[in-house]
């Protein structure tokens, strides 16, 4: 016996592992309304702001126009940090003062994008408020107001999860999913291959698609998640070349 290769063929194991990611995303759907509105959800520190910057950079690089909405009005630092990202990648941002109504920011961001024919609106949301009830209320309100600003908006609610947080991250996603419904996950801080295992439990337990993976703090450190490519890279470490 020589470990896994003797117990199961690469092909069979690949099939089983890829099956764990059965909720495959469709991140490149061409039939998107303009503006396509995304709400970014998650607890503070998970990497929301950084991921918004990376996503905006990605859309811009693919030739699309982007506008950001600084919807975490609870923290002044969140507004400042998002403004820094907007300046860095040179995209417009709609913001207000700390403590002002986040739903108004969302509404203005969407209206402004619609008037300027901008392709993507990415809206930050609060990760924490005074109480869980307030947070629940605020997120529900922001979702409702987005729908008033544009038909069907928000078109996607993406949850940002810190990939180093294990079960805590999964519990957070469940809580936010119950509040407003989550369409997909972005897992951050997966720099280095060793942490990739978290993706199996996140996908399997939440039954939600993983859209992207964050692999660093820079604007290009966001990769589209591909179950096939991910599983292949794992298997390359286990199986010899001739067994492919
Ligand atoms: P927020 O509070 O959810 O908005 O989180 P931030 O975007 O401010 O991120 C929190 C910290 O995590 C910052 O220091 C980021 O630079 C860092 N961070 C975010 N994404 C990644 C990632 O994919 N890899 C690494 N190494 N750090 C990240």
């Amino acid at each position: 016996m020589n470990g896994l290769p003797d117990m199961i063929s690469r092909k069979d194991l690949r099939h089983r592992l890829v099956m764990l990611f059965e909720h495959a995303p469709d991140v490149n759907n061409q039939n998107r309304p303009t503006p396509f509105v995304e709400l970014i959800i998650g607890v503070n520190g998970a990497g929301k702001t950084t991921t918004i910057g990376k996503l905006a950079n990605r859309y811009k690089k693919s030739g699309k126009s982007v506008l950001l909405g600084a919807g975490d009005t609870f923290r002044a630092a969140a507004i400042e940090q998002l403004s820094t990202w907007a300046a860095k990648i040179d995209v417009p941002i709609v913001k207000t003062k700390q403590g002002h109504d986040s739903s108004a920011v969302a509404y203005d961001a969407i209206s402004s994008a619609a008037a300027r024919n901008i392709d993507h609106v990415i809206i930050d949301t609060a990760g924490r408020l005074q109480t869980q009830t307030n947070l629940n209320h605020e997120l529900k309100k922001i979702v409702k107001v987005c729908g008033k600003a544009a038909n069907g908006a928000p078109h996607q609610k993406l949850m940002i999860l810190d990939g180093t947080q294990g079960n805590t991250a999964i519990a957070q996603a469940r809580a936010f999913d119950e509040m407003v419904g989550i369409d997909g996950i972005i897992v951050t801080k997966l720099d280095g291959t060793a942490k990739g295992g978290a993706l199996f439990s996140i996908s399997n337990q939440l039954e939600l698609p993983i859209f992207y993976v964050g692999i660093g703090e820079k604007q290009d450190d966001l990769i589209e998640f591909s179950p096939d490519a991910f599983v292949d890279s794992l298997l390359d470490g286990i199986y010899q070349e001739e067994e492919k």
Side-chain angles (χ1 to χ4, degrees):
M1 287 289 278
N2 197 10
L4 266 180
D6 286 338
M7 288 182 242
I8 181 166
S9 74
R10 175 170 180 143
K11 193 163 157 260
D12 288 345
L13 182 55
R14 183 181 193 280
H15 178 69
R16 288 188 196 190
L17 291 177
V18 170
M19 289 267 287
L20 295 174
F21 297 104
E22 60 186 321
H23 314 280
D26 180 12
V27 286
N28 294 316
N29 183 354
Q30 295 300 314
N31 300 318
R32 288 180 158 175
T34 304
F36 187 73
V37 179
E38 288 172 299
L39 218 49
I40 307 299
I41 291 166
V43 302
N44 294 343
K48 272 200 309 292
T49 321
T50 310
T51 304
I52 292 172
K54 292 176 186 175
L55 262 184
N57 175 57
R58 194 180 175 90
Y59 292 148
K60 213 183 154 193
K61 274 190 153 175
S62 73
K64 302 284 188 190
S65 47
V66 187
L67 181 144
L68 306 183
D72 182 356
T73 56
F74 189 62
R75 292 185 305 153
I79 303 171
E80 275 165 33
Q81 211 188 328
L82 199 66
S83 303
T84 306
W85 270 105
K88 184 147 104 185
I89 47 185
D90 193 22
V91 295
I93 178 167
V94 168
K95 57 185 174 181
T96 183
K97 289 208 178 87
Q98 183 189 11
H100 284 198
D101 185 6
S102 59
S103 296
V105 172
Y107 192 91
D108 289 349
I110 296 169
S111 309
S112 167
R116 296 154 78 178
N117 211 18
I118 285 177
D119 301 305
H120 286 270
V121 179
I122 313 175
I123 301 172
D124 192 12
T125 62
R128 234 198 111 211
L129 290 180
Q130 301 86 346
T131 67
Q132 192 73 6
T133 315
N134 284 0
L135 181 61
N136 188 4
H137 179 75
E138 166 146 321
L139 289 176
K140 283 194 168 119
K141 186 171 161 200
I142 226 175
V143 168
K144 205 167 119 198
V145 170
C146 283
K148 284 188 182 156
N151 236 348
H155 306 102
Q156 228 156 240
K157 286 163 274 170
L158 297 180
M159 173 92 201
I160 310 301
L161 291 183
D162 181 334
T164 66
Q165 292 294 307
N167 286 334
T168 312
I170 290 170
Q172 284 162 3
R174 288 213 168 102
F176 280 90
D177 193 27
E178 268 174 32
M179 284 188 230
V180 286
I182 300 297
D183 300 303
I185 308 274
I186 299 179
V187 186
T188 63
K189 308 185 194 179
L190 287 184
D191 331 12
T193 50
K195 298 173 192 159
L199 294 170
F200 284 114
S201 51
I202 287 172
S203 172
N204 212 17
Q205 293 193 46
L206 292 175
E207 302 189 348
L208 285 167
I210 296 170
F211 281 47
Y212 296 98
V213 170
I215 50 159
E217 299 181 79
K218 305 234 168 61
Q219 64 194 49
D220 289 317
D221 294 337
L222 185 76
I223 51 174
E224 214 171 279
F225 177 68
S226 152
D228 287 339
F230 172 63
V231 168
D232 277 334
S233 73
L234 283 182
L235 295 180
D236 282 344
I238 299 171
Y239 290 84
Q240 302 299 315
E241 191 63 23
E242 62 270 20
E243 291 175 90
K244 276 188 188 175

